[in-house]
Amino acid sequence: EEYCEYITGKTYENPISLKVERSKIFAEWIIDTYGKELLCRGTGVLDVAGGNGETCRHLVAKGIPVTLLDPNPRCGSNPGFTIIPHPLNCDGSDLTSRNDDIGNIVRNCSFICGLHPDQATEPIVSLAERLNVKFAILPCCVMPSLFPHRVQRKHGDPVRSYSAFCQYLLDMAPEKEEFL
């Protein structure tokens, strides 16, 4: 909460106010944590499942190249950033193996992010690991009935809580803890 107040200069008395600002807060955190130099390398940031493009808009406003990868983008026809209207599946091999602009953009991104990426959460970690790039995700729903295969590495217990989900994701990338 203190960091959110630092970034926006506002005090949040209720969670609804904070929700309105979350894309800006996430984008500012990414910039503060990883730096503009890293984020601008290659084809820039790949924002997965970013829907309305708000995180992209905040990053572009800071001069960072961004591509939105979302099967159902809802950000208008000329948002000021590249849009790839495809899902991220598994480790993204279907996208990186392409010999076109889409393949080039995904293969050469310098950073991958996802704010509440739902079903794309695990694929973000897998793609980042495969491409050896940094990433930041802020997962939302655990969805245990959709993902019954998720089990804790340490205990083998099913992933049913948010904290267990976060640990599960951290265990997917033990060398990287670029995780909110």
Side-chain angles (χ1 to χ4, degrees):
E1 187 175 290
E2 288 177 17
Y3 187 78
C4 296
E5 291 177 11
Y6 165 75
I7 292 295
T8 63
K10 298 177 184 176
T11 301
Y12 296 96
E13 295 181 13
N14 70 57
I16 301 298
S17 299
L18 185 57
K19 185 176 181 180
V20 171
E21 298 280 335
R22 69 183 178 192
S23 293
K24 179 180 180 182
I25 294 165
F26 188 54
E28 291 291 338
W29 181 86
I30 289 169
I31 295 166
D32 288 351
T33 303
Y34 298 99
K36 191 172 176 181
E37 182 182 332
L38 179 138
L39 300 173
C40 289
R41 290 182 192 155
T43 55
V45 174
L46 185 66
D47 181 10
V48 178
N52 64 11
E54 283 303 309
T55 302
C56 293
R57 284 185 185 86
H58 292 297
L59 292 169
V60 166
K62 299 291 185 175
I64 297 167
V66 184
T67 299
L68 174 64
L69 176 66
D70 191 299
N72 186 27
R74 301 172 311 282
C75 50
S77 60
N78 190 15
F81 49 85
T82 304
I83 299 171
I84 299 175
H86 291 280
L88 177 59
N89 297 310
C90 302
D91 67 355
S93 293
D94 59 322
L95 297 173
T96 58
S97 65
R98 293 173 63 133
N99 292 318
D100 59 8
D101 287 342
I102 291 172
N104 181 59
I105 289 169
V106 176
R107 276 191 307 276
N108 293 299
C109 71
S110 61
F111 189 85
I112 304 171
C113 69
L115 175 61
H116 294 210
D118 295 328
Q119 290 92 335
T121 304
E122 288 165 292
I124 289 171
V125 178
S126 297
L127 177 61
E129 284 290 284
R130 196 166 60 73
L131 296 178
N132 195 30
V133 298
K134 294 185 179 288
F135 68 96
I137 51 179
L138 183 61
C140 60
C141 307
V142 177
M143 300 183 272
S145 60
L146 262 177
F147 299 101
H149 69 278
R150 292 178 178 159
V151 294
Q152 291 292 337
R153 183 174 286 177
K154 189 174 183 179
H155 306 290
D157 295 332
V159 174
R160 299 198 184 284
S161 69
Y162 190 78
S163 61
F165 186 34
C166 290
Q167 185 59 54
Y168 170 82
L169 293 168
L170 286 169
D171 289 345
M172 287 181 68
E175 300 299 314
K176 296 179 181 177
E177 292 199 9
E178 287 84 9
F179 195 94
L180 280 181

